[in-house]
Protein backbone atom coordinates (compact mmCIF):
# COMPACT_ATOMS: atom_id res chain seq x y z
CA UNK A 1 0.00 0.00 0.00
CA UNK A 2 1.23 3.52 -0.81
CA UNK A 3 2.77 5.59 1.95
CA UNK A 4 0.02 8.26 1.59
CA UNK A 5 -2.67 5.65 2.04
CA UNK A 6 -0.92 4.26 5.13
CA UNK A 7 -0.78 7.79 6.55
CA UNK A 8 -4.52 8.21 6.00
CA UNK A 9 -5.35 4.88 7.65
CA UNK A 10 -3.16 5.75 10.63
CA UNK A 11 -4.63 9.26 10.93
CA UNK A 12 -8.19 7.95 10.81
CA UNK A 13 -7.42 5.53 13.62
CA UNK A 14 -5.48 8.00 15.78
CA UNK A 15 -8.05 10.81 15.37
CA UNK A 16 -11.04 8.57 15.90
CA UNK A 17 -12.58 9.54 12.56
CA UNK A 18 -16.11 8.16 12.26
CA UNK A 19 -16.94 9.02 8.62
CA UNK A 20 -14.86 9.64 5.51
CA UNK A 21 -16.59 11.67 2.80
CA UNK A 22 -15.46 10.81 -0.74
CA UNK A 23 -15.88 13.88 -2.95
CA UNK A 24 -16.10 14.17 -6.74
CA UNK A 25 -17.88 16.44 -9.23
CA UNK A 26 -20.31 16.02 -12.06
CA UNK A 27 -19.53 17.47 -15.49
CA UNK A 28 -20.93 20.89 -14.59
CA UNK A 29 -18.78 21.11 -11.45
CA UNK A 30 -21.38 20.31 -8.78
CA UNK A 31 -19.79 18.64 -5.77
CA UNK A 32 -20.98 15.11 -4.95
CA UNK A 33 -20.20 12.88 -1.98
CA UNK A 34 -20.29 9.26 -0.82
CA UNK A 35 -19.63 8.57 2.88
CA UNK A 36 -17.90 5.45 4.16
CA UNK A 37 -16.86 4.22 7.60
CA UNK A 38 -13.24 3.54 8.62
CA UNK A 39 -13.93 -0.20 8.30
CA UNK A 40 -14.42 0.29 4.54
CA UNK A 41 -11.45 2.58 3.97
CA UNK A 42 -8.75 0.04 3.17
CA UNK A 43 -11.04 -1.70 0.68
CA UNK A 44 -11.85 1.69 -0.86
CA UNK A 45 -8.15 2.25 -1.49
CA UNK A 46 -7.66 -1.26 -2.89
CA UNK A 47 -10.85 -1.72 -4.89
CA UNK A 48 -12.69 1.62 -5.04
CA UNK A 49 -16.26 2.27 -3.97
CA UNK A 50 -18.85 1.15 -6.52
CA UNK A 51 -21.92 3.32 -7.18
CA UNK A 52 -24.54 4.01 -9.84
CA UNK A 53 -23.09 6.61 -12.21
CA UNK A 54 -26.36 7.03 -14.15
CA UNK A 55 -27.70 9.19 -11.31
CA UNK A 56 -24.92 11.79 -11.79
CA UNK A 57 -25.25 14.44 -14.52
CA UNK A 58 -22.90 13.66 -17.39
CA UNK A 59 -21.72 10.32 -16.03
CA UNK A 60 -23.05 6.97 -17.25
CA UNK A 61 -26.12 5.97 -19.22
CA UNK A 62 -28.52 3.56 -17.55
CA UNK A 63 -27.24 0.48 -19.40
CA UNK A 64 -23.62 1.18 -18.39
CA UNK A 65 -24.25 2.69 -15.00
CA UNK A 66 -21.80 1.41 -12.38
CA UNK A 67 -18.48 3.16 -11.76
CA UNK A 68 -15.82 3.20 -9.03
CA UNK A 69 -14.83 6.10 -6.78
CA UNK A 70 -11.13 5.71 -6.00
CA UNK A 71 -10.03 8.01 -3.13
CA UNK A 72 -6.91 10.12 -3.62
CA UNK A 73 -5.00 9.79 -0.36
CA UNK A 74 -3.01 12.98 -1.00
CA UNK A 75 -6.24 15.01 -0.66
CA UNK A 76 -7.10 13.74 2.84
CA UNK A 77 -8.16 16.45 5.29
CA UNK A 78 -10.14 16.48 8.51
CA UNK A 79 -13.37 18.47 8.27
CA UNK A 80 -13.14 21.34 10.76
CA UNK A 81 -16.93 21.64 11.06
CA UNK A 82 -17.36 18.07 12.31
CA UNK A 83 -18.23 17.64 15.99
CA UNK A 84 -15.71 16.41 18.54
CA UNK A 85 -17.88 13.37 19.18
CA UNK A 86 -17.94 12.39 15.50
CA UNK A 87 -14.77 13.54 13.70
CA UNK A 88 -15.04 13.35 9.92
CA UNK A 89 -12.66 13.70 6.99
CA UNK A 90 -12.79 14.07 3.23
CA UNK A 91 -10.84 12.90 0.21
CA UNK A 92 -11.32 13.74 -3.44
CA UNK A 93 -11.80 10.78 -5.75
CA UNK A 94 -10.89 9.77 -9.25
CA UNK A 95 -13.76 7.95 -10.95
CA UNK A 96 -12.93 4.72 -12.75
CA UNK A 97 -14.69 2.13 -14.88
CA UNK A 98 -15.25 -1.28 -13.30
CA UNK A 99 -12.09 -2.50 -15.04
CA UNK A 100 -10.21 0.28 -13.15
CA UNK A 101 -9.46 2.34 -16.26
CA UNK A 102 -10.10 6.10 -16.00
CA UNK A 103 -13.77 6.99 -16.49
CA UNK A 104 -14.25 9.36 -19.44
CA UNK A 105 -17.02 11.31 -17.69
CA UNK A 106 -14.93 12.31 -14.67
CA UNK A 107 -13.72 15.96 -14.88
CA UNK A 108 -10.89 15.28 -12.41
CA UNK A 109 -9.60 12.45 -14.58
CA UNK A 110 -9.76 14.77 -17.60
CA UNK A 111 -7.52 17.29 -15.87
CA UNK A 112 -5.20 14.55 -14.63
CA UNK A 113 -4.84 13.24 -18.20
CA UNK A 114 -4.03 16.70 -19.58
CA UNK A 115 -1.51 17.32 -16.80
CA UNK A 116 0.15 13.98 -17.57
CA UNK A 117 0.43 15.00 -21.22
CA UNK A 118 2.12 18.22 -20.12
CA UNK A 119 4.50 16.23 -17.91
CA UNK A 120 5.46 14.16 -20.94
CA UNK A 121 6.86 17.43 -22.30
CA UNK A 122 8.54 18.04 -18.90
CA UNK A 123 6.04 20.73 -17.84
CA UNK A 124 4.06 21.07 -14.65
CA UNK A 125 1.12 23.47 -14.67
CA UNK A 126 0.62 25.90 -11.79
CA UNK A 127 -2.36 28.17 -11.13
CA UNK A 128 -3.71 30.64 -8.59
CA UNK A 129 -7.36 31.77 -8.73
CA UNK A 130 -8.97 35.01 -7.59
CA UNK A 131 -12.46 33.86 -6.59
CA UNK A 132 -15.20 36.50 -6.38
CA UNK A 133 -18.67 35.99 -4.90
CA UNK A 134 -21.61 37.80 -3.30
CA UNK A 135 -23.32 37.57 0.08
CA UNK A 136 -27.09 38.09 0.08
CA UNK A 137 -29.81 38.07 2.70
CA UNK A 138 -31.50 35.17 0.88
CA UNK A 139 -31.07 32.89 -2.08
CA UNK A 140 -34.80 32.60 -2.75
CA UNK A 141 -35.60 34.26 -6.12
CA UNK A 142 -39.31 34.41 -5.25
CA UNK A 143 -38.48 37.14 -2.69
CA UNK A 144 -37.41 39.57 -5.42
CA UNK A 145 -33.98 40.78 -6.40
CA UNK A 146 -31.08 39.69 -4.15
CA UNK A 147 -30.46 41.95 -1.15
CA UNK A 148 -26.75 42.67 -0.43
CA UNK A 149 -25.54 42.63 3.17
CA UNK A 150 -23.40 45.77 2.82
CA UNK A 151 -22.84 48.78 0.56
CA UNK A 152 -19.04 48.85 0.70
CA UNK A 153 -16.64 48.91 -2.26
CA UNK A 154 -13.01 48.05 -3.15
CA UNK A 155 -10.82 47.30 -0.12
CA UNK A 156 -13.23 49.03 2.29
CA UNK A 157 -12.52 48.18 5.90
CA UNK A 158 -15.90 47.21 7.28
CA UNK A 159 -14.98 45.82 10.67
CA UNK A 160 -18.48 45.75 12.12
CA UNK A 161 -20.55 44.31 9.30
CA UNK A 162 -21.73 40.75 8.83
CA UNK A 163 -19.90 40.23 5.54
CA UNK A 164 -16.41 40.81 6.93
CA UNK A 165 -17.03 38.35 9.73
CA UNK A 166 -18.29 35.74 7.26
CA UNK A 167 -15.19 36.15 5.12
CA UNK A 168 -12.90 35.94 8.16
CA UNK A 169 -14.53 32.73 9.38
CA UNK A 170 -14.31 31.29 5.86
CA UNK A 171 -10.57 31.97 5.66
CA UNK A 172 -9.96 30.36 9.04
CA UNK A 173 -11.85 27.25 7.95
CA UNK A 174 -9.99 27.03 4.63
CA UNK A 175 -6.64 27.27 6.37
CA UNK A 176 -7.75 24.63 8.88
CA UNK A 177 -8.21 22.36 5.86
CA UNK A 178 -4.70 23.05 4.58
CA UNK A 179 -5.77 25.53 1.87
CA UNK A 180 -3.50 28.60 2.02
CA UNK A 181 -5.20 31.94 1.34
CA UNK A 182 -2.98 34.66 -0.10
CA UNK A 183 -5.36 37.64 -0.01
CA UNK A 184 -8.95 38.47 0.82
CA UNK A 185 -10.81 41.76 0.58
CA UNK A 186 -14.07 43.48 -0.25
CA UNK A 187 -14.60 43.76 -3.99
CA UNK A 188 -16.07 46.59 -6.07
CA UNK A 189 -19.79 45.82 -5.80
CA UNK A 190 -22.00 45.90 -2.68
CA UNK A 191 -21.57 42.73 -0.64
CA UNK A 192 -19.07 41.34 -3.18
CA UNK A 193 -15.93 39.70 -1.82
CA UNK A 194 -12.78 38.05 -3.14
CA UNK A 195 -10.58 35.28 -1.81
CA UNK A 196 -7.30 34.58 -3.61
CA UNK A 197 -5.72 31.15 -3.20
CA UNK A 198 -1.98 30.57 -3.26
CA UNK A 199 -0.13 29.25 -6.31
CA UNK A 200 0.16 25.48 -6.55
CA UNK A 201 -0.24 22.66 -9.08
CA UNK A 202 -3.47 22.83 -11.06
CA UNK A 203 -5.08 19.63 -9.79
CA UNK A 204 -4.68 20.76 -6.18
CA UNK A 205 -5.97 24.22 -7.13
CA UNK A 206 -9.11 22.75 -8.72
CA UNK A 207 -9.71 20.67 -5.56
CA UNK A 208 -9.20 23.81 -3.48
CA UNK A 209 -11.70 25.82 -5.54
CA UNK A 210 -14.32 23.12 -5.02
CA UNK A 211 -13.62 23.17 -1.27
CA UNK A 212 -13.71 26.98 -1.16
CA UNK A 213 -17.13 27.12 -2.83
CA UNK A 214 -18.52 24.65 -0.29
CA UNK A 215 -16.97 26.42 2.71
CA UNK A 216 -18.13 29.89 1.59
CA UNK A 217 -21.70 28.65 1.23
CA UNK A 218 -21.62 26.64 4.47
CA UNK A 219 -20.41 29.55 6.61
CA UNK A 220 -23.02 31.85 5.07
CA UNK A 221 -25.82 29.30 5.61
CA UNK A 222 -24.85 28.83 9.25
CA UNK A 223 -25.21 32.60 9.70
CA UNK A 224 -28.64 32.72 8.12
CA UNK A 225 -27.41 34.37 4.90
CA UNK A 226 -26.66 33.17 1.37
CA UNK A 227 -23.46 33.15 -0.70
CA UNK A 228 -23.61 33.08 -4.49
CA UNK A 229 -21.03 32.38 -7.19
CA UNK A 230 -23.49 33.43 -9.90
CA UNK A 231 -21.48 35.56 -12.36
CA UNK A 232 -23.97 38.45 -12.68
CA UNK A 233 -26.66 38.45 -9.95
CA UNK A 234 -27.25 42.25 -9.82
CA UNK A 235 -27.97 44.90 -12.41
CA UNK A 236 -25.88 48.04 -12.49
CA UNK A 237 -22.86 46.69 -10.63
CA UNK A 238 -19.87 44.57 -11.55
CA UNK A 239 -20.30 40.79 -11.75
CA UNK A 240 -18.08 38.09 -10.25
CA UNK A 241 -15.10 36.68 -12.13
CA UNK A 242 -12.41 34.15 -11.37
CA UNK A 243 -9.19 35.54 -12.81
CA UNK A 244 -6.58 32.78 -12.91
CA UNK A 245 -2.80 33.28 -12.78
CA UNK A 246 -0.96 30.62 -14.77
CA UNK A 247 2.58 29.43 -15.41
CA UNK A 248 4.54 26.36 -16.46
CA UNK A 249 7.47 24.93 -14.54
CA UNK A 250 10.17 22.50 -15.57
CA UNK A 251 11.55 21.11 -12.34
CA UNK A 252 12.02 24.15 -10.10
CA UNK A 253 12.40 26.57 -13.01
CA UNK A 254 9.55 28.78 -14.18
CA UNK A 255 9.76 28.42 -17.97
CA UNK A 256 7.76 31.64 -18.50
CA UNK A 257 10.66 33.69 -17.10
CA UNK A 258 13.17 35.52 -19.27
CA UNK A 259 15.00 38.36 -17.54
CA UNK A 260 16.29 39.75 -20.84
CA UNK A 261 12.81 40.22 -22.33
CA UNK A 262 11.09 43.60 -22.08
CA UNK A 263 8.03 41.91 -20.57
CA UNK A 264 10.03 39.35 -18.58
CA UNK A 265 8.31 36.65 -20.65
CA UNK A 266 10.22 33.81 -22.32
CA UNK A 267 9.59 32.53 -25.83
CA UNK A 268 7.77 29.58 -24.26
CA UNK A 269 5.63 31.98 -22.23
CA UNK A 270 4.86 34.01 -25.35
CA UNK A 271 3.84 30.93 -27.31
CA UNK A 272 1.68 29.66 -24.44
CA UNK A 273 -0.04 33.06 -24.22
CA UNK A 274 -0.54 33.11 -27.99
CA UNK A 275 -2.17 29.67 -27.77
CA UNK A 276 -4.56 30.82 -25.07
CA UNK A 277 -5.53 33.87 -27.14
CA UNK A 278 -5.85 31.89 -30.37
CA UNK A 279 -8.21 29.31 -28.87
CA UNK A 280 -10.02 31.63 -26.42
CA UNK A 281 -13.30 31.66 -28.36
CA UNK A 282 -13.30 27.85 -28.52
CA UNK A 283 -12.93 27.33 -24.75
CA UNK A 284 -15.27 30.08 -23.54
CA UNK A 285 -18.36 27.84 -23.34
CA UNK A 286 -16.56 25.91 -20.59
CA UNK A 287 -14.81 28.77 -18.76
CA UNK A 288 -18.15 30.67 -18.84
CA UNK A 289 -20.75 27.92 -18.85
CA UNK A 290 -23.97 29.70 -17.79
CA UNK A 291 -26.44 31.80 -19.78
CA UNK A 292 -25.84 34.38 -17.06
CA UNK A 293 -22.04 34.33 -17.62
CA UNK A 294 -22.42 36.48 -20.72
CA UNK A 295 -24.22 39.24 -18.82
CA UNK A 296 -20.94 39.74 -16.97
CA UNK A 297 -18.82 39.61 -20.13
CA UNK A 298 -21.02 42.20 -21.85
CA UNK A 299 -20.65 44.87 -19.16
CA UNK A 300 -18.09 47.68 -19.42
CA UNK A 301 -16.03 46.74 -16.40
CA UNK A 302 -13.02 44.56 -15.67
CA UNK A 303 -14.72 41.64 -17.41
CA UNK A 304 -12.80 41.24 -20.71
CA UNK A 305 -15.01 40.70 -23.80
CA UNK A 306 -12.16 41.14 -26.32
CA UNK A 307 -9.24 38.88 -27.24
CA UNK A 308 -6.07 40.85 -26.56
CA UNK A 309 -3.20 40.94 -24.10
CA UNK A 310 -1.37 43.68 -22.20
CA UNK A 311 0.67 44.34 -19.09
CA UNK A 312 -1.51 46.83 -17.21
CA UNK A 313 -4.64 47.03 -19.36
CA UNK A 314 -7.45 45.38 -17.41
CA UNK A 315 -9.80 45.45 -20.40
CA UNK A 316 -7.59 42.81 -22.08
CA UNK A 317 -8.36 39.09 -21.87
CA UNK A 318 -4.79 38.18 -20.84
CA UNK A 319 -2.63 40.33 -18.60
CA UNK A 320 1.11 39.86 -18.03
CA UNK A 321 1.57 41.18 -14.48
CA UNK A 322 4.76 43.03 -13.60
CA UNK A 323 6.50 40.62 -11.28
CA UNK A 324 8.41 41.39 -8.14
CA UNK A 325 12.07 42.24 -8.53
CA UNK A 326 14.37 39.25 -8.06
CA UNK A 327 11.55 36.67 -8.19
CA UNK A 328 11.75 34.82 -11.52
CA UNK A 329 9.48 32.11 -10.12
CA UNK A 330 6.59 34.61 -10.14
CA UNK A 331 6.56 35.03 -13.94
CA UNK A 332 2.99 34.32 -15.04
CA UNK A 333 0.02 35.35 -17.14
CA UNK A 334 -3.45 36.20 -15.86
CA UNK A 335 -6.45 34.81 -17.78
CA UNK A 336 -9.40 37.05 -16.95
CA UNK A 337 -12.55 35.70 -18.58
CA UNK A 338 -13.42 32.65 -16.39
CA UNK A 339 -16.09 33.05 -13.75
CA UNK A 340 -16.52 31.22 -10.43
CA UNK A 341 -19.42 29.08 -11.71
CA UNK A 342 -17.18 27.11 -14.08
CA UNK A 343 -15.99 23.56 -13.52
CA UNK A 344 -12.32 24.24 -12.62
CA UNK A 345 -11.13 20.81 -13.72
CA UNK A 346 -12.45 21.31 -17.24
CA UNK A 347 -11.53 25.00 -17.43
CA UNK A 348 -7.90 24.31 -16.43
CA UNK A 349 -7.75 21.41 -18.90
CA UNK A 350 -8.73 23.64 -21.80
CA UNK A 351 -6.52 26.60 -20.89
CA UNK A 352 -3.57 24.21 -20.56
CA UNK A 353 -4.35 22.50 -23.87
CA UNK A 354 -4.64 25.86 -25.64
CA UNK A 355 -1.33 27.06 -24.22
CA UNK A 356 0.49 23.83 -25.03
CA UNK A 357 -0.85 23.96 -28.58
CA UNK A 358 0.68 27.42 -28.87
CA UNK A 359 4.05 26.00 -27.77
CA UNK A 360 3.98 22.89 -29.96
CA UNK A 361 2.93 24.83 -33.07
CA UNK A 362 5.06 27.89 -32.40
CA UNK A 363 2.21 30.43 -32.33
CA UNK A 364 3.36 34.03 -32.55
CA UNK A 365 2.16 36.44 -29.88
CA UNK A 366 0.37 39.47 -31.40
CA UNK A 367 1.27 43.01 -30.40
CA UNK A 368 0.34 44.29 -26.94
CA UNK A 369 -2.87 46.31 -26.76
CA UNK A 370 -2.58 49.39 -24.53
CA UNK A 371 -5.90 51.08 -25.42
CA UNK A 372 -8.99 50.68 -23.26
CA UNK A 373 -10.91 48.28 -25.48
CA UNK A 374 -14.27 49.35 -24.07
CA UNK A 375 -13.69 52.86 -25.47
CA UNK A 376 -12.96 51.74 -29.03
CA UNK A 377 -15.56 51.33 -31.76
CA UNK A 378 -16.20 48.03 -33.47
CA UNK A 379 -14.38 49.27 -36.57
CA UNK A 380 -11.36 50.43 -34.53
CA UNK A 381 -11.05 47.04 -32.83
CA UNK A 382 -11.48 45.23 -36.16
CA UNK A 383 -8.73 47.38 -37.72
CA UNK A 384 -6.44 46.26 -34.87
CA UNK A 385 -7.31 42.60 -35.53
CA UNK A 386 -9.02 42.24 -32.13
CA UNK A 387 -11.86 39.72 -32.04
CA UNK A 388 -14.59 39.58 -29.39
CA UNK A 389 -15.27 36.60 -27.19
CA UNK A 390 -18.64 34.93 -27.85
CA UNK A 391 -21.49 37.24 -26.83
CA UNK A 392 -23.85 34.48 -25.66
CA UNK A 393 -23.81 30.89 -24.53
CA UNK A 394 -25.41 29.96 -27.85
CA UNK A 395 -22.55 31.50 -29.83
CA UNK A 396 -19.95 29.98 -27.50
CA UNK A 397 -21.43 26.50 -28.02
CA UNK A 398 -21.38 26.96 -31.80
CA UNK A 399 -17.67 27.80 -31.66
CA UNK A 400 -16.90 24.99 -29.21
CA UNK A 401 -18.70 22.42 -31.35
CA UNK A 402 -16.27 22.99 -34.22
CA UNK A 403 -13.15 22.84 -32.02
CA UNK A 404 -10.88 19.85 -32.43
CA UNK A 405 -8.78 21.10 -29.50
CA UNK A 406 -11.73 21.15 -27.08
CA UNK A 407 -12.91 17.69 -28.17
CA UNK A 408 -9.42 16.22 -27.76
CA UNK A 409 -8.90 17.86 -24.37
CA UNK A 410 -12.27 16.93 -22.86
CA UNK A 411 -12.77 13.61 -24.64
CA UNK A 412 -15.85 12.62 -26.64
CA UNK A 413 -17.95 11.68 -23.60
CA UNK A 414 -17.83 15.06 -21.83
CA UNK A 415 -17.62 17.07 -25.06
CA UNK A 416 -20.87 15.67 -26.43
CA UNK A 417 -22.75 15.62 -23.11
CA UNK A 418 -21.75 19.22 -22.32
CA UNK A 419 -23.01 20.44 -25.70
CA UNK A 420 -26.35 18.63 -25.28
CA UNK A 421 -26.85 19.91 -21.74
CA UNK A 422 -25.98 23.51 -22.54
CA UNK A 423 -28.02 23.55 -25.75
CA UNK A 424 -30.99 22.56 -23.57
CA UNK A 425 -30.20 25.37 -21.10
CA UNK A 426 -30.06 27.92 -23.92
CA UNK A 427 -33.33 26.63 -25.40
CA UNK A 428 -35.09 26.99 -22.05
CA UNK A 429 -33.72 30.50 -21.64
CA UNK A 430 -34.88 31.53 -25.11
CA UNK A 431 -38.44 30.41 -24.43
CA UNK A 432 -38.68 32.02 -20.96
CA UNK A 433 -40.31 35.44 -20.56
CA UNK A 434 -38.02 37.60 -18.41
CA UNK A 435 -38.85 40.47 -16.02
CA UNK A 436 -37.09 42.81 -18.47
CA UNK A 437 -39.58 41.93 -21.21
CA UNK A 438 -42.60 42.30 -18.94
CA UNK A 439 -41.46 45.69 -17.61
CA UNK A 440 -40.56 47.00 -21.05
CA UNK A 441 -43.34 45.67 -23.26
CA UNK A 442 -46.41 44.76 -21.18
CA UNK A 443 -47.42 48.35 -20.29
CA UNK A 444 -47.14 49.66 -23.87
CA UNK A 445 -47.94 46.86 -26.30
Amino acid sequence: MERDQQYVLRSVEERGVRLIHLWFTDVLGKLKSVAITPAELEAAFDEGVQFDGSSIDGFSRVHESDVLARPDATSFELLPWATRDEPSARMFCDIQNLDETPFDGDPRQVLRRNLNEARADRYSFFAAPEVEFFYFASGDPSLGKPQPLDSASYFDLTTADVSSNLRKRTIHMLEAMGIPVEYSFHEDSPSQHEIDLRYTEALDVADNIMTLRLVVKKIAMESGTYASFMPKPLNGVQGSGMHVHLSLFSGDANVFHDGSDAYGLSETGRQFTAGVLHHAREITAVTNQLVNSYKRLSEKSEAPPYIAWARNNRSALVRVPVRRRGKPSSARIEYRSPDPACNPYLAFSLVLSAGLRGISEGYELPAETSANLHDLSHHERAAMGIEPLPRSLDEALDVMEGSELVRDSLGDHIFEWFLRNKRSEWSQYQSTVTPFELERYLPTW
Side-chain angles (χ1 to χ4, degrees):
M1 181 170 288
E2 295 180 6
R3 183 168 54 186
D4 291 326
Q5 295 176 355
Q6 292 174 344
Y7 167 79
V8 170
L9 290 168
R10 188 166 59 251
S11 297
V12 165
E13 182 178 0
E14 292 174 352
R15 300 296 185 94
V17 172
R18 303 288 294 276
L19 282 177
I20 302 98
H21 299 269
L22 307 182
W23 288 1
F24 56 96
T25 78
D26 65 15
V27 172
L28 298 181
K30 299 291 183 65
L31 194 60
K32 307 293 181 179
S33 178
V34 174
I36 61 173
T37 65
E40 302 298 320
L41 182 56
E42 189 166 351
F45 282 138
D46 290 341
E47 304 167 9
V49 174
Q50 187 169 338
F51 69 96
D52 180 6
S54 66
S55 60
I56 306 297
D57 278 346
F59 271 30
S60 307
R61 293 169 292 186
V62 172
H63 65 275
E64 52 182 29
S65 58
D66 284 354
V67 291
L68 300 173
R70 180 82 69 171
D72 179 352
T74 64
S75 68
F76 175 82
E77 289 290 346
L78 295 174
L79 295 176
W81 56 80
T83 64
R84 290 188 177 182
D85 294 335
E86 291 196 2
S88 298
R90 71 95 158 105
M91 280 182 285
F92 281 93
C93 292
D94 294 315
I95 307 301
Q96 298 178 337
N97 299 305
L98 295 184
D99 63 2
E100 300 187 0
T101 57
F103 174 56
D104 291 340
D106 176 21
R108 198 170 190 264
Q109 290 276 32
V110 169
L111 179 55
R112 188 183 292 280
R113 171 171 53 79
N114 282 283
L115 291 172
N116 287 339
E117 291 174 5
R119 289 191 188 98
D121 292 327
R122 301 186 301 280
Y123 295 132
S124 54
F125 184 44
F126 278 62
E130 302 174 357
V131 186
E132 298 173 355
F133 56 92
F134 283 87
Y135 288 122
F136 296 123
S138 170
D140 185 351
S142 68
L143 299 178
K145 68 179 184 180
Q147 297 299 312
L149 302 186
D150 65 59
S151 57
S153 187
Y154 265 131
F155 302 112
D156 281 354
L157 180 60
T158 52
T159 55
D161 68 30
V162 175
S163 298
S164 291
N165 185 53
L166 291 174
R167 198 176 75 228
K168 179 179 68 176
R169 289 172 56 198
T170 298
I171 293 167
H172 290 166
M173 188 166 284
L174 289 172
E175 293 188 331
M177 296 185 70
I179 299 175
V181 173
E182 188 164 26
Y183 301 110
S184 73
F185 51 88
H186 198 291
E187 254 290 345
D188 177 63
S189 302
S191 208
Q192 185 185 35
H193 295 258
E194 177 174 316
I195 296 177
D196 299 352
L197 302 182
R198 191 167 297 170
Y199 234 58
T200 189
E201 287 196 274
L203 186 65
D204 292 333
V205 175
D207 289 346
N208 291 346
I209 290 171
M210 297 306 305
T211 305
L212 181 149
R213 294 201 303 215
L214 176 68
V215 170
V216 167
K217 284 183 169 288
K218 179 177 177 57
I219 294 293
M221 182 180 65
E222 290 175 351
S223 302
T225 60
Y226 185 78
S228 176
F229 294 93
M230 183 176 174
K232 182 67 173 169
L234 297 174
N235 292 323
V237 299
Q238 185 168 283
S240 290
M242 190 180 75
H243 304 164
V244 185
H245 296 256
L246 308 165
S247 58
L248 293 179
F249 279 73
S250 181
D252 294 330
N254 186 331
V255 299
F256 281 9
H257 167 68
D258 182 353
S260 64
D261 181 72
Y263 305 107
L265 199 59
S266 68
E267 183 65 19
T268 299
R270 287 172 170 271
Q271 292 170 342
F272 187 97
T273 305
V276 171
L277 293 172
H278 183 83
H279 296 285
R281 285 177 53 82
E282 301 166 42
I283 70 177
T284 298
V286 173
T287 60
N288 305 84
Q289 68 166 337
L290 306 184
V291 165
N292 179 257
S293 297
Y294 298 84
K295 305 291 177 69
R296 166 183 166 257
L297 290 178
S298 67
E299 64 190 5
K300 290 188 176 181
S301 68
E302 291 193 5
Y306 304 109
I307 302 172
W309 75 278
R311 283 173 288 183
N312 294 314
N313 184 353
R314 293 181 181 271
S315 68
L317 176 61
V318 173
R319 194 170 70 91
V320 180
V322 178
R323 65 179 183 274
R324 298 172 187 171
R325 187 184 300 275
K327 290 198 69 175
S329 63
S330 67
R332 66 197 188 279
I333 64 171
E334 179 187 9
Y335 193 54
R336 299 173 59 79
S337 65
D339 62 52
C342 74
N343 183 328
Y345 301 102
L346 302 185
F348 288 168
S349 294
L350 292 182
V351 175
L352 175 61
S353 294
L356 291 179
R357 181 68 61 86
I359 295 172
S360 66
E361 308 232 341
Y363 289 180
E364 185 174 345
L365 186 65
E368 179 183 9
T369 302
S370 57
N372 185 338
L373 296 171
H374 295 297
D375 294 338
L376 301 180
S377 70
H378 169 75
H379 295 296
E380 287 172 321
R381 288 190 295 269
M384 298 168 66
I386 295 174
E387 286 189 284
L389 289 175
R391 298 302 177 89
S392 68
L393 180 61
D394 184 45
E395 182 185 350
L397 293 170
D398 285 344
V399 179
M400 172 184 164
E401 190 167 17
S403 173
E404 162 263 334
L405 178 136
V406 175
R407 181 182 284 274
D408 286 350
S409 180
L410 299 185
D412 288 342
H413 181 118
I414 288 180
F415 181 85
E416 292 171 2
W417 185 92
F418 187 92
L419 286 171
R420 288 196 304 272
N421 179 275
K422 290 300 172 179
R423 291 286 188 204
S424 175
E425 179 179 338
W426 177 255
S427 178
Q428 292 174 43
Y429 172 70
Q430 275 192 306
S431 61
T432 300
V433 179
T434 65
F436 172 88
E437 293 166 284
L438 292 174
E439 293 171 9
R440 191 175 185 93
Y441 306 129
L442 188 63
T444 57
W445 291 94

